[in-house]
Amino acid sequence: MAPTPGILYVKMQPAASLPANQFHDWYNNEHGPLRVRLPYCQNGFRYRAADGQEPEWMAVYDFGNTADLASEESYTKLRLPGVASQREFDVKSHVSIDRRMYDLVETKQSPDFKRLEDVNSVGEENVCFAIGFTIKPGKDVKELEKWYSEEHIPLLAKVPGWRRSRRFLTSAVDDSGKTEHLALHDYAPQNGVGTSEEYKAATNTPWREQVMRDLVDEKTRRQYNLYYTFGPCPRDLTSLVSDWSYTNAKTTTRPASSGKRGVIESYITTKDGVDLPYRLEGSSDPDAPLILLSNSILADWGIWDDFVDAFFSANGNGRYRVLRYNTRGRSKHCGEQTISLDLLTSDIISLLDALRVPKAATVMGVSLGGATTLNAALKYPDRVASLISCDTNTKAPASNPKAWGERIEVAEKEGAQTQSGEKVVGEQLAEMTVRRWCVPESYDGGEAEAKIGKVKRMVHENSLDGFKKAVQALFEYDISEDMKNASVRAAFVVGGGDGILPNTMKEMSAEYGKGAEFVVIDGAGHLPMVEKPKEVASFVTNFSRT
């Protein structure tokens, strides 16, 4: 049977006793993203009434096949105890909910129609008119459909600001027990509805009068303004009200309080099914500039902890959001594709898309992350406003396959495992790695050495299988030719004690487009944001303000 596209259409009225932010935090950071995360859900939107009527809130989700709403366990179980969070049950107990499913009958749209879920539509406003009909008993609905298709929608298409009209019929999988025709008409904020001659012509015809008189039993008309567009993961730092963790512990949130930044930790799922954990923090402004940080191989986002604290402590930097994530290879679940620099770069774009960031203010990375962010600026200049690349190369050294192969052998020979039996990199390679990464002066027996210990634990705990897959990205890549035509503003940062890389990156800065800034961080090795976080944060702050 061919799939039947349609929508899940939900009207909600929260009780006056339910705080608004609690309602929005639940809806924006839990309820909506969990549904849009489903592979068969195409999008999701929240609307707010503009006509003064209740219910005040409406949400609509597009599905490729409405049968999935009844048959797919991944959807139906979202409402079950043990899967749905306690917050879900608590909030919904204070909300009146009218939930319907409709099958798509017809769509007409203007030639310049833009999908609101696309990242290039971020900031786009939309007005939606929802018109509901029930038909008198015994009447033929074909006359209603004929009027809509042949007269009404063609006339509405002439109204200034018209974008799209869609018609729906109560789905066969809907359990409301009521058959209803629903039309959703999308308009630009500035439109001719109610005032233009075109609208008057569309709503005052003999055929319309006949349909309303002879066929229509009940009619409802609602006007809504677009309030929020869901992505497949939570991102709303504005509405956070309490510490919260989802039942699978893969999503946690913490509101800003007592000088602490608001934080969302969750994950995105790439097109090839790989989960990438991320941490979003900082400004609660949904349009705040975003800085993305990309890690070295064998490390997690914790290498940026001190840098992020130092960066946010500078006056004026509270206006930023910072996004960190764990790259492919941190865990063994890193997909079936060969991991390459281009694949890692596409993961950055997937993160920006999922979090609805049209253009990152800065992408910054170190080592493999430095090459990845550099490649992002070269391949996707429309998505990156500026670049800071640290301790990296434009071309994989010919010695890389042998050198990294020997390191893999060290880890395999040790055979370290977690308590659950998963193979990890282990102690020997972890010690070798931090000794190579960090300058001798950092082994001071105090705070600096404690930081090295933290990085060492990251390396030790990295999945061995994930490491073996991810390191292939370092075996062979060459983006030196792309450097010549680079257009994104850039800076190259390197630890003064990182072997030959200071000379290499100085050359890179000269080869990059029309030139890039070049900075050496004294007293640091391969991870300057670990050994000298304040100095790196100071540079990033100044770079961001010029």
Side-chain angles (χ1 to χ4, degrees):
M1 178 181 288
T4 303
I7 58 172
L8 175 63
Y9 183 77
V10 186
K11 292 178 285 186
M12 290 191 177
Q13 184 59 46
S17 59
L18 181 66
N21 272 3
Q22 188 175 339
F23 177 59
H24 297 314
D25 187 9
W26 161 74
Y27 217 153
N28 294 350
N29 289 323
E30 179 182 357
H31 188 82
L34 282 172
R35 281 138 185 85
V36 178
R37 198 187 288 279
L38 297 170
Y40 41 89
C41 182
Q42 299 171 346
N43 55 48
F45 308 95
R46 288 185 68 196
Y47 282 84
R48 189 173 192 173
D51 53 15
Q53 299 182 52
E54 292 185 353
E56 183 181 3
W57 299 95
M58 179 269 281
V60 59
Y61 307 83
D62 280 274
F63 287 84
N65 187 12
T66 50
D68 290 336
L69 292 168
S71 62
E72 288 288 346
E73 181 186 1
S74 56
Y75 172 71
T76 57
K77 73 178 183 181
L78 289 176
R79 300 192 297 274
L80 299 178
V83 177
S85 72
Q86 186 59 47
R87 179 173 71 173
E88 172 101 355
F89 290 109
D90 292 344
V91 171
K92 288 174 70 173
S93 68
H94 296 278
V95 181
S96 174
I97 301 174
D98 182 2
R99 176 178 168 276
R100 306 287 180 90
M101 289 171 275
Y102 294 93
D103 292 336
L104 180 65
V105 176
E106 178 185 20
T107 297
K108 294 290 177 64
Q109 61 192 42
S110 68
D112 58 350
F113 173 79
K114 294 195 303 182
R115 301 194 317 165
L116 292 171
E117 64 267 33
D118 290 348
V119 71
N120 59 10
S121 295
V122 169
E124 190 77 42
E125 297 179 66
N126 193 64
V127 178
C128 179
F129 292 90
I131 313 298
F133 289 110
T134 57
I135 302 302
K136 292 179 179 179
K139 295 295 183 179
D140 188 353
V141 300
K142 292 182 179 180
E143 184 67 18
L144 173 70
E145 295 177 350
K146 184 178 181 181
W147 164 71
Y148 249 120
S149 297
E150 296 182 10
E151 180 186 85
H152 193 55
I153 292 180
L155 288 177
L156 288 178
K158 298 178 181 180
V159 177
W162 177 82
R163 289 174 169 171
R164 179 177 65 170
S165 290
R166 296 191 292 170
R167 292 198 302 113
F168 302 89
L169 181 65
T170 299
S171 175
V173 300
D174 185 88
D175 57 5
S176 65
K178 186 176 183 180
T179 300
E180 185 179 28
H181 296 260
L182 176 70
L184 299 180
H185 305 290
D186 294 315
Y187 286 85
Q190 303 300 320
N191 59 69
V193 174
T195 59
S196 68
E197 292 302 317
E198 293 87 349
Y199 181 79
K200 294 174 183 177
T203 54
N204 290 278
T205 69
W207 195 357
R208 180 184 182 279
E209 290 179 4
Q210 177 190 344
V211 166
M212 294 299 157
R213 181 184 65 246
D214 298 340
L215 299 179
V216 174
D217 188 14
E218 295 180 3
K219 175 188 174 184
T220 60
R221 181 183 187 275
R222 297 298 310 274
Q223 179 180 346
Y224 300 97
N225 292 334
L226 180 63
Y227 181 81
Y228 191 83
T229 300
F230 294 120
C233 56
R235 69 178 191 278
D236 181 17
L237 292 166
T238 306
S239 303
L240 298 179
V241 294
S242 61
D243 291 356
W244 173 78
S245 179
Y246 186 53
T247 51
N248 64 8
K250 295 174 71 172
T251 297
T252 61
T253 64
R254 185 192 73 201
S257 63
S258 302
K260 294 182 179 180
R261 301 178 294 275
V263 173
I264 295 174
E265 292 184 2
S266 189
Y267 66 98
I268 72 159
T269 302
T270 64
K271 292 179 180 178
D272 63 330
V274 176
D275 290 347
L276 297 178
Y278 69 85
R279 177 184 171 101
L280 178 69
E281 59 194 303
S283 173
S284 62
D285 181 352
D287 299 318
L290 181 132
I291 297 174
L292 178 143
L293 304 176
S294 186
N295 315 326
S296 166
I297 196 168
L298 291 172
D300 63 32
W301 69 47
I303 61 170
W304 302 96
D305 283 349
D306 292 340
F307 162 79
V308 172
D309 287 343
F311 178 79
F312 276 119
S313 69
N315 290 334
N317 286 352
R319 70 187 186 93
Y320 287 95
R321 293 175 294 166
V322 170
L323 174 65
R324 295 183 264 173
Y325 69 104
N326 287 343
T327 54
R328 290 181 193 244
R330 182 63 190 164
S331 78
K332 65 180 181 181
H333 304 291
C334 46
E336 300 302 320
Q337 298 186 65
T338 298
I339 297 180
S340 65
L341 193 64
D342 283 343
L343 181 61
L344 295 175
T345 302
S346 72
D347 287 342
I348 287 180
I349 303 305
S350 294
L351 281 157
L352 296 179
D353 286 347
L355 291 165
R356 297 188 59 75
V357 180
K359 195 169 193 174
T362 302
V363 293
M364 179 179 181
V366 62
S367 191
L368 176 56
T372 304
T373 50
L374 172 57
N375 196 40
L378 297 174
K379 298 291 199 311
Y380 303 94
D382 58 324
R383 303 300 300 274
V384 176
S386 67
L387 158 75
I388 301 175
S389 183
C390 307
D391 300 80
T392 195
N393 269 297
T394 56
K395 183 178 181 180
S399 60
N400 265 10
K402 182 176 184 295
W404 284 105
E406 291 172 350
R407 292 161 193 163
I408 291 172
E409 289 178 4
V410 170
E412 289 183 323
K413 185 176 180 180
E414 181 178 341
Q417 297 183 359
T418 65
Q419 289 185 346
S420 64
E422 180 179 352
K423 295 178 182 179
V424 293
V425 166
E427 171 69 20
Q428 294 180 41
L429 183 56
E431 178 66 18
M432 291 169 55
T433 299
V434 294
R435 289 285 178 179
R436 192 176 73 252
W437 281 353
C438 303
V439 297
E441 292 80 6
S442 291
Y443 286 86
D444 60 357
E447 182 179 349
E449 189 164 347
K451 294 179 181 179
I452 296 175
K454 178 180 176 181
V455 176
K456 181 179 175 180
R457 288 190 294 274
M458 294 179 196
V459 179
H460 182 288
E461 295 165 4
N462 202 100
S463 163
L464 178 55
D465 290 338
F467 167 50
K468 289 163 64 176
K469 291 181 179 180
V471 77
Q472 294 179 69
L474 289 169
F475 284 1
E476 185 178 0
Y477 70 88
D478 187 351
I479 53 177
S480 54
E481 281 298 311
D482 295 330
M483 293 273 285
K484 300 174 182 178
N485 298 315
S487 59
V488 173
R489 179 170 171 259
F492 293 95
V493 177
V494 64
D498 196 7
I500 65 170
L501 277 182
N503 289 333
T504 300
M505 295 198 72
K506 184 176 182 179
E507 294 173 0
M508 288 167 57
S509 68
E511 295 167 352
Y512 181 89
K514 296 181 179 180
E517 292 189 47
F518 173 66
V519 176
V520 175
I521 304 296
D522 293 328
H526 196 59
L527 303 178
M529 66 291 307
V530 172
E531 293 180 287
K532 296 293 179 180
K534 292 180 181 178
E535 290 80 354
V536 177
S538 177
F539 169 75
V540 175
T541 296
N542 292 331
F543 180 79
S544 301
R545 295 178 182 178
T546 56

